[in-house]
Amino acid sequence: MAKISPAMLVPPVLFLGFAVLMLEGLKLEDPNALPSVLEGKAAPHVEVSALGDLPTFSDETLSSGGVKLVNFWASWCAPCRVEHPHLEALAEAGIPIYGVNYKDKAPNALKFLADLGNPYKAVGADEAGRMALNWGVYGVPETYVINSDGVIVLRFAGPITKRAIETEILPAIEAATTATDARD
């Protein structure tokens, strides 16, 4: 029987250790979650141009008043159509939503809003995608909950659904509103 040298055990032991470290590093609470480094920080600069004759918004809009949503969308985005009725319901409930039309053609974006309704208090165009890049947008639709101080409290990637409203959006709005009320 051949004698095993301790040096022969080093590569398999190192490989096993590396594999364990890799598996531990990949564990996330929600494997579908896309982390945002902006949560808890001031919303990045608003860089939008006018979309038709619709009202637009600015940095000051996001840093004043109550809790609000910023929604990145596009007319060519199928999931944006899916979430649109839910945005309208939120707007009807009194939640101000500011829209950022991402890399879209103005006539298409305006037709989208004319056909489906306009849930936005104000909207701007981000033709080059610069604002979306600065905000860390992975793809549309994406929605941010902004507190009354202009701080991002939640980033929600993907289309807003009824379930997302109940489990993530409304709790984030409530927490941000409660924190503001406690501070005042």
Side-chain angles (χ1 to χ4, degrees), residues 37-107:
V37 298
L38 296 178
E39 286 182 11
K41 296 181 181 172
H45 178 61
V46 172
E47 295 181 61
V48 292
S49 58
L51 182 62
D53 60 356
L54 297 174
T56 190
F57 64 102
S58 65
D59 294 330
E60 292 76 30
T61 308
L62 299 185
S63 62
S64 62
V67 177
K68 64 216 51 97
L69 302 180
V70 174
N71 174 253
F72 287 81
W73 64 281
S75 66
W76 45 261
C77 163
C80 295
R81 288 185 181 275
V82 170
E83 85 170 351
H84 203 80
H86 300 293
L87 292 175
E88 288 193 308
L90 288 168
E92 288 172 15
I95 298 167
I97 307 171
Y98 297 90
V100 180
N101 182 243
Y102 175 74
K103 291 188 174 184
D104 207 348
K105 293 182 176 156

Side-chain angles (χ1 to χ4, degrees), residues 26-35:
L26 292 175
K27 285 185 183 175
L28 297 173
E29 287 183 23
D30 179 1
N32 296 319
L34 296 172

Side-chain angles (χ1 to χ4, degrees), residues 79-149:
C80 295
R81 288 185 181 275
V82 170
E83 85 170 351
H84 203 80
H86 300 293
L87 292 175
E88 288 193 308
L90 288 168
E92 288 172 15
I95 298 167
I97 307 171
Y98 297 90
V100 180
N101 182 243
Y102 175 74
K103 291 188 174 184
D104 207 348
K105 293 182 176 156
N108 296 346
L110 292 169
K111 182 173 180 351
F112 178 96
L113 294 176
D115 291 349
L116 299 178
N118 184 355
Y120 303 113
K121 187 167 184 167
V123 64
D126 184 18
E127 294 111 356
R130 164 115 35 250
M131 181 173 166
L133 181 66
N134 291 339
W135 281 59
V137 171
Y138 285 86
V140 290
E142 276 192 29
T143 304
Y144 294 81
V145 177
I146 312 291
N147 73 12
S148 60
D149 296 324

Side-chain angles (χ1 to χ4, degrees), residues 39-40 66-70 90 95-96 143-149 151-157 160 162-181 183:
E39 286 182 11
V67 177
K68 64 216 51 97
L69 302 180
V70 174
L90 288 168
I95 298 167
T143 304
Y144 294 81
V145 177
I146 312 291
N147 73 12
S148 60
D149 296 324
V151 173
I152 295 173
V153 296
L154 174 73
R155 172 184 168 268
F156 184 82
I160 291 177
K162 184 177 179 181
R163 181 173 184 224
I165 290 171
E166 293 169 355
T167 62
E168 296 189 56
I169 305 294
L170 288 180
I173 290 170
E174 180 64 31
T177 303
T178 303
T180 299
D181 292 345
R183 199 178 57 231

